[in-house]
Amino acid sequence: MADTKRSMSVSTRGPEAPPLSESSAGLLRELVAHLRQNRTQLREEWARRITRAELLTAMTEEEIFAEATAVYDNYVEALETGTFEALQAYSRRLSERIIPRGVETDEVVGIVLLLRDVLARSLFNKYQDNVEKLNRILDSYEPAANRIANTVAVGFVEERERIIRQQQEAIRELSTPVLQVRERLLILPIIGVIDPQRARQLTEQLLRAIRANRAKVVVIDVTGVAAMDSGVANHLVQTVEASRLLGATVIVTGLSPEIAQTLVTIGVDLSEMATVGDLQGGIEEAERLLADRVAPTLAPLQSREIAPDSQR
Amino acid sequence: MEVPILRQGQYLIASIQSALTDADLSHLREALIAQVGRSRCRGVIVDVTALDVMDSFAVRTLRDIAHMARLRGAETVIVGIQPDVAFAMVQLGLTLKGVATVLDLEEGLAFLDGRTKDRGLDPKHKRPPSGPFRG
């Protein structure tokens, strides 16, 4: 117990431990040799303490032991070479493996700190007769050990953040599906909050879909949009105009009474936009437009009637 | 850089192949408007598929072409605006109001077929893709 306390108080001196030039390199070599020699025993001790602390409960004992071996070897290598790239890459791969299994940040930080404690404890035991040497060994061990703990924790958190970003992206993609109802008719149901970023992405997705499907009419349904401010309304207008430049007519449906009142009150000009009460009406209107649009090549006689609205 | 102007039946097709200077654009406008009268065209198609930027001068020139051609008796349609270009245009407020725009050349021809009183086609057939129009 006294050992652990000592380890805590000494480790606060941390990275600014005095560099001891050539002798420090020698101590580090001695330290690494010691850790290599006692590899099996220390590794087992560490795995035991992980199990006892009920960390990594999502993994079986064999898995913990296998990972512990790999982490241990990487740890010793990082201590020996003083380079952390290999460890960084390893912790990234490790995180990739264990995050989907539900391993939490505190567990990962916990096991690395446990390893630090196990190794420090073994150093205390080895050098307990020579306190002065113990101190010097710890001086070279602690900064490296702290940096290793840091590297692994940061690697884990970065991997998590990457996954979160990826998921956000996926949710965003999913939240704005562009659906083809029939040839040349697309539906874009918008649900939830529209922020500028989402509005932009939505527009880009729609424009790409218009070109890919050669759409002539698009129904944008905003039934699922709770509120709309002037920014969002302007995005909507821009989407409508950009679609027209690609030759598609946009019909907006499902403007709620609240939104209609807000838009008129704040004075957003939606007169350029074709609006229909609900999605059903919107699709009916779209079919009518499509019937007219397809007609000219088949029945030229009707062409004059559609002229005004195909120009808009 | 000269823009080739092709005659296809009753229509003129100007296919822009690369970025144009303001002078090139003005030249295109003059050439098109002159040819509309000379060849008694009913429609003009300007294909901008190859353009990945569209500045205010280009947009204004396209609009001018449409309005001038209408005064000379021809409908104009702009075809092939890229999605990214369209988005950039509306953000800059360049929306080509009052000018017809459609997806691509094929749509443009269909659009003009609908707009002009071309009775030379068999109504049961769609426009043959490559054959010339008889007016």
Side-chain angles (χ1 to χ4, degrees), chain A residues 13-66:
Chain A
R13 266 164 58 195
E16 73 271 18
L20 291 170
S21 63
E22 37 82 49
S23 78
S24 124
L27 285 174
L28 203 57
R29 256 201 308 280
E30 191 179 329
L31 171 65
V32 168
H34 169 69
L35 296 182
R36 287 249 159 87
Q37 218 169 19
N38 298 299
R39 176 166 175 265
T40 316
Q41 181 213 331
L42 290 173
R43 208 174 40 170
E44 275 164 6
E45 165 68 10
W46 183 34
R48 236 190 338 270
R49 289 194 50 179
I50 291 176
T51 323
R52 212 180 317 143
E54 294 186 1
L55 295 171
L56 299 181
T57 44
M59 295 162 81
T60 66
E61 227 152 287
E62 293 81 51
E63 281 175 316
I64 291 179
F65 192 71

Side-chain angles (χ1 to χ4, degrees), chain A residues 132-189:
Chain A
E132 192 258 343
K133 186 163 189 192
L134 173 63
N135 268 333
R136 280 192 296 145
I137 287 260
L138 286 177
D139 280 342
S140 40
Y141 168 69
E142 279 159 3
N146 289 347
R147 192 148 163 225
I148 289 172
N150 234 332
T151 307
V152 173
V154 168
F156 185 81
V157 170
E158 274 174 357
E159 177 63 20
R160 266 178 95 100
E161 279 169 1
R162 195 186 62 80
I163 289 178
I164 291 172
R165 270 197 303 278
Q166 210 174 22
Q167 286 171 343
Q168 273 176 341
E169 195 64 28
I171 291 172
R172 229 178 274 138
E173 292 277 327
L174 280 177
S175 63
T176 51
V178 184
L179 311 168
Q180 179 159 19
V181 182
R182 48 170 275 194
E183 220 179 304
R184 331 218 76 183
L185 170 56
L186 295 179
I187 290 192
L188 174 65

Side-chain angles (χ1 to χ4, degrees), chain B:
Chain B
M1 166 97 202
E2 194 91 355
V3 177
I5 299 175
L6 313 171
R7 178 144 188 216
Q8 162 89 0
Q10 287 202 316
Y11 310 137
L12 290 180
I13 301 174
S15 177
I16 299 174
Q17 298 299 330
S18 62
L20 297 179
T21 64
D22 290 0
D24 293 333
L25 281 163
S26 305
H27 182 77
L28 170 67
R29 185 189 61 211
E30 282 156 29
L32 266 177
I33 304 310
Q35 276 211 32
V36 165
R38 210 180 311 134
S39 51
R40 308 191 66 234
C41 290
R42 306 303 308 272
V44 174
I45 295 176
V46 183
D47 185 355
V48 296
T49 310
L51 289 187
D52 43 18
V53 230
M54 193 94 85
D55 61 13
S56 57
F57 187 83
V59 172
R60 204 180 74 210
T61 308
L62 290 177
R63 199 195 54 204
D64 290 353
I65 288 174
H67 292 170
M68 291 171 183
R70 190 169 301 145
L71 294 177
R72 304 269 279 159
E75 279 295 330
T76 301
V77 58
I78 313 296
V79 307
I81 298 177
Q82 302 293 319
D84 295 347
V85 177
F87 193 54
M89 283 169 68
V90 295
Q91 289 205 314
L92 295 172
L94 309 170
T95 54
L96 276 173
K97 277 218 169 68
V99 181
T101 50
V102 297
L103 193 68
D104 55 18
L105 188 57
E106 189 183 348
E107 292 287 325
L109 289 167
F111 174 83
L112 289 179
D113 283 351
R115 293 296 296 262
T116 57
K117 300 175 203 81
D118 187 347
R119 297 283 175 273
L121 282 175
D122 182 351
K124 285 191 188 63
H125 285 87
K126 282 195 174 171
R127 178 184 44 75
S130 56
F133 293 116
R134 298 284 6 118

Side-chain angles (χ1 to χ4, degrees), chain A residues 167-237:
Chain A
Q167 286 171 343
Q168 273 176 341
E169 195 64 28
I171 291 172
R172 229 178 274 138
E173 292 277 327
L174 280 177
S175 63
T176 51
V178 184
L179 311 168
Q180 179 159 19
V181 182
R182 48 170 275 194
E183 220 179 304
R184 331 218 76 183
L185 170 56
L186 295 179
I187 290 192
L188 174 65
I190 304 179
I191 292 167
V193 181
I194 308 179
D195 53 28
Q197 196 200 355
R198 186 167 171 219
R200 188 192 171 87
Q201 189 225 0
L202 202 133
T203 308
E204 281 172 3
Q205 228 173 315
L206 176 64
L207 295 181
R208 271 198 298 273
I210 287 175
R211 192 169 62 168
N213 298 306
R214 305 176 60 82
K216 271 291 172 197
V217 184
V218 178
V219 180
I220 299 183
D221 181 61
V222 294
T223 313
V225 178
M228 207 181 268
D229 57 13
S230 59
V232 173
N234 282 330
H235 274 300
L236 205 54
V237 173

